[in-house]
């Protein structure tokens, strides 16, 4: 961790934009924030542009990045796309996954993301045989995040069946520990680090038998760890759950003690009014992934109704068809405009909170996502002089960030006081495009 001073030309401080803000950093945290400093103090690192708290990508499948540009054309559904995704998962090893994830997390840093929630379910070798280190794949992801300079919450995922009452398919054997108790035993070995926290995930109600949901929930509760679950992404899942259990996936999770303020439902796309009330009343969060949801033709989730009901919103890039948290924030509002034919469902500040403080909270980093004393010193600076942002008003910085800027406009990324991206160049991973190309090519064989 580093010690130093940053001078922010313009800074979004949660409710407004302030010009000339000095941030003092010690031991990776913000020690002081001083507004009204029109010129940089001697020795301060200067961040020209608009600085936000570091962005939190609350839902990632790093290996899906290998599919970008290869599965976007042609007909089909989520279920046909899934078969192509499985073919990539089949070729992963700890070594190839580390190389790909390191490059993907570096791409995230270039996009201003300082923390990722990795929804991790490729655990074992072919046929479900454990590696010598049963957590070799998870450890590869943790190491990749460290080398790319960002934080990670490894959401180790329980994935036991292919459907209600069905065993795993040949592709899915790599994902399964056999039962939830074995999953919990393996996960208990994983250790947290300064840059890494360990959480849990239920892949979906179709992938974890109802009688084993409580085991995963209890593991997370005992550790006060975040718990995530893919929820009602597809109507087919809802229909199958109703046929098997006579209730919706949300009700099934509620009945087995999964919902609560440390739980986040990912997608939450096809919900009933009762589902929305259950999520809101329990304080269960919602992670929307708009670019993936539109790429896979999933649908538009009821984000407005969920937030009004009491479900905090976060954002994720999921399959990485796009890695751009500002686009995810913008898309959430624009999707709702298309559906409702009205504008202004969220303020730009509310959308930025979903991408920063609320995203970090969903990943168990309650001490990140704000520019204030005591918070982790994670900063993202957006250029105000690019072709997209030129001519915008600095005092309307939240609007500029959400409705004008994108990942290409990120100029600086600071994590724990360390300058990970400086002037648009990653300081730890040289030649990120080449690293991505090489890692993806290795998986294509």
């Amino acid at each position: 961790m580093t010690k130093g001073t940053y001078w922010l030309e313009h800074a979004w401080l949660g409710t407004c934009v302030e010009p000339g803000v000095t941030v003092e950093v010690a031991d990776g945290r913000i020690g002081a924030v001083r507004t009204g400093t029109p010129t940089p103090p001697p020795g301060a690192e200067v961040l020209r542009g608009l600085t936000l708290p570091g962005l939190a990508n609350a839902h990632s499948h790093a290996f899906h990045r290998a599919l970008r540009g290869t599965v976007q054309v042609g007909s089909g559904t989520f279920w046909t796309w899934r078969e192509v995704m499985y073919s990539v998962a089949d070729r992963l090893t700890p070594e190839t996954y580390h190389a790909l994830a390191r490059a993907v997390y570096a791409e995230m840093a270039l996009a201003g993301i300082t923390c990722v929630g990795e929804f991790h379910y490729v655990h074992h070798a072919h046929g479900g045989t454990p590696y010598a280190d049963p957590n070799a794949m998870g450890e590869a992801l943790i190491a990749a995040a460290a080398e790319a300079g960002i934080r990670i919450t490894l959401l180790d995922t329980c994935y036991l069946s292919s459907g209600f009452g069905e065993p795993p398919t040949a592709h899915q054997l790599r994902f399964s520990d056999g039962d939830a108790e074995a999953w919990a035993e393996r996960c208990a070995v994983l250790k947290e680090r300064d840059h890494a926290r360990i959480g849990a995930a239920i892949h979906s109600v179709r992938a974890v038998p109802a009688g084993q949901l409580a085991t995963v929930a209890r593991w997370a509760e005992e550790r006060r760890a975040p718990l995530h679950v893919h929820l009602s992404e597809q109507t087919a899942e809802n229909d199958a759950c109703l046929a098997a259990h006579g209730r919706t996936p949300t009700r099934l999770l509620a009945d087995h003690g999964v919902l609560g303020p440390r739980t986040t439902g990912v997608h939450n796309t096809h919900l009933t009014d009762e589902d929305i009330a259950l999520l809101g009343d329990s304080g269960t969060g919602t992670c929307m992934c708009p670019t993936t949801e539109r790429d896979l033709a999933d649908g538009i989730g009821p984000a407005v109704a969920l937030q009004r009901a009491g479900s905090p919103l976060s954002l994720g890039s999921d399959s990485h068809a796009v890695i751009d948290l500002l686009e995810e924030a913008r898309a959430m509002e624009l999707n709702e405009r298309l559906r409702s034919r009205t504008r202004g469902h969220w303020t730009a500040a509310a959308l930025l909170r979903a991408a920063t403080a609320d995203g970090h909270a969903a990943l168990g980093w309650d001490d990140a996502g704000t520019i204030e004393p005591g918070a982790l010193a994670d900063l993202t600076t957006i250029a105000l002089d690019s072709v997209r942002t030129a001519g915008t008003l600095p005092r309307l910085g939240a609007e500029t960030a959400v409705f004008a800027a994108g990942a290409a406009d990120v100029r600086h990324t600071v994590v724990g006081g360390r300058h990970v991206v400086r002037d648009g160049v990653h300081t730890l991973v040289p030649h990120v495009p080449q690293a991505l190309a090489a890692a993806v090519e290795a998986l294509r064989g």
Side-chain angles (χ1 to χ4, degrees):
M1 295 296 187
T2 57
K3 180 178 181 179
T5 301
Y6 286 92
W7 181 80
L8 321 181
E9 185 180 25
H10 303 279
W12 182 67
L13 301 183
T15 58
C16 62
V17 172
E18 291 281 353
V21 175
T22 298
V23 174
E24 295 178 1
V25 176
D27 297 324
R29 293 185 178 273
I30 296 173
V33 177
R34 297 198 306 274
T35 59
T37 54
T39 58
E45 287 204 62
V46 175
L47 304 184
R48 296 276 178 195
L50 170 66
T51 298
L52 316 171
L55 306 177
N57 187 352
H59 190 66
S60 163
H61 301 292
F63 76 92
H64 290 192
R65 174 62 178 80
L67 298 170
R68 185 187 295 175
T70 65
V71 292
Q72 272 71 36
V73 179
S75 61
T77 65
F78 167 88
W79 305 101
T80 52
W81 167 89
R82 190 176 70 160
E83 293 305 310
V84 182
M85 180 268 289
Y86 282 160
S87 70
V88 175
D90 285 345
R91 293 193 288 274
L92 292 171
T93 66
E95 294 74 26
T96 59
Y97 207 2
H98 171 267
L100 178 61
R102 176 177 177 267
V104 173
Y105 297 155
E107 181 182 358
M108 290 185 192
L110 288 169
I113 293 165
T114 57
C115 184
V116 61
E118 185 61 41
F119 200 102
H120 165 56
Y121 56 81
V122 186
H123 301 305
H124 307 299
H126 288 282
T129 303
Y131 290 103
D133 174 0
N135 288 303
M137 296 293 261
E139 291 291 349
L141 293 166
I142 291 171
E147 292 173 29
I150 69 172
R151 307 182 197 281
I152 185 172
T153 296
L154 187 73
L155 297 162
D156 198 287
T157 304
C158 188
Y159 195 137
L160 306 173
S161 62
S162 62
F164 298 96
E166 299 294 330
T169 66
H171 291 301
Q172 296 164 344
L173 289 172
R174 301 194 70 182
F175 311 160
S176 177
D177 291 291
D179 59 39
E181 291 292 349
W183 167 85
E185 183 178 347
R186 178 181 54 75
C187 290
V189 179
L190 288 162
K191 303 298 182 186
E192 296 194 341
R193 277 142 264 197
D194 286 344
H195 82 290
R197 292 186 178 165
I198 308 301
I202 292 165
H203 180 272
S204 56
V205 293
R206 69 178 185 274
V208 179
Q212 300 188 57
L213 292 170
T215 299
V216 184
R218 184 168 56 251
W219 188 95
E221 175 65 26
E222 289 172 351
R223 290 160 178 77
R224 313 292 289 175
L227 173 61
H228 288 215
V229 54
H230 290 134
L231 181 56
S232 289
E233 181 179 4
Q234 295 290 324
T235 55
E237 178 181 284
N238 290 355
D239 294 342
C241 189
L242 286 166
H245 297 288
R247 65 201 77 180
T248 66
T250 302
R251 170 53 74 181
L252 187 67
L253 294 174
D255 290 347
H256 289 274
V258 175
L259 303 185
R262 278 190 305 281
T263 300
T264 297
V266 181
H267 304 302
N268 293 0
T269 307
H270 303 285
L271 302 178
T272 67
D273 289 343
E274 181 192 30
D275 293 339
I276 292 169
L278 284 169
L279 294 168
D281 290 346
S282 63
T284 300
T286 293
C287 179
M288 290 292 181
C289 307
T291 64
T292 291
E293 289 150 6
R294 72 190 183 202
D295 181 54
L296 297 180
D298 286 343
I300 300 171
V304 172
L306 282 161
Q307 187 166 59
R308 286 175 180 165
S311 179
L313 298 180
S314 56
L315 297 166
S317 62
D318 192 1
S319 69
H320 311 316
V322 177
I323 295 179
D324 187 339
L325 262 287
L326 300 174
E327 168 62 18
E328 303 293 347
R330 175 164 56 246
M332 193 159 66
E333 166 68 22
L334 298 186
N335 282 354
E336 196 62 34
R337 292 182 184 185
L338 283 174
R339 178 167 57 183
S340 67
R341 290 180 290 174
T342 61
R343 306 175 75 199
H345 302 279
W346 290 276
T347 64
L351 293 168
L352 280 184
R353 282 195 296 274
T356 55
D358 289 348
H360 282 97
L363 298 177
W365 298 88
D366 297 307
D367 50 353
T370 60
I371 302 176
E372 61 184 21
L376 289 165
D378 298 351
L379 307 171
T380 295
T381 302
I382 297 167
L384 294 177
D385 56 0
S386 75
V387 294
R388 287 162 295 277
T389 61
T392 59
L393 299 173
R395 63 182 176 81
L396 299 179
E399 286 76 7
T400 296
V402 173
F403 294 110
D409 300 306
V410 172
R411 180 173 283 166
H412 303 286
T413 305
V414 175
V415 183
R418 179 171 63 169
H419 222 140
V420 173
V421 173
R422 178 181 281 111
D423 294 320
V425 177
H426 204 291
T427 64
L428 305 175
V429 180
H431 312 300
V432 176
Q434 291 92 323
L436 282 163
V440 170
E441 184 61 29
L443 287 177
R444 288 179 181 161

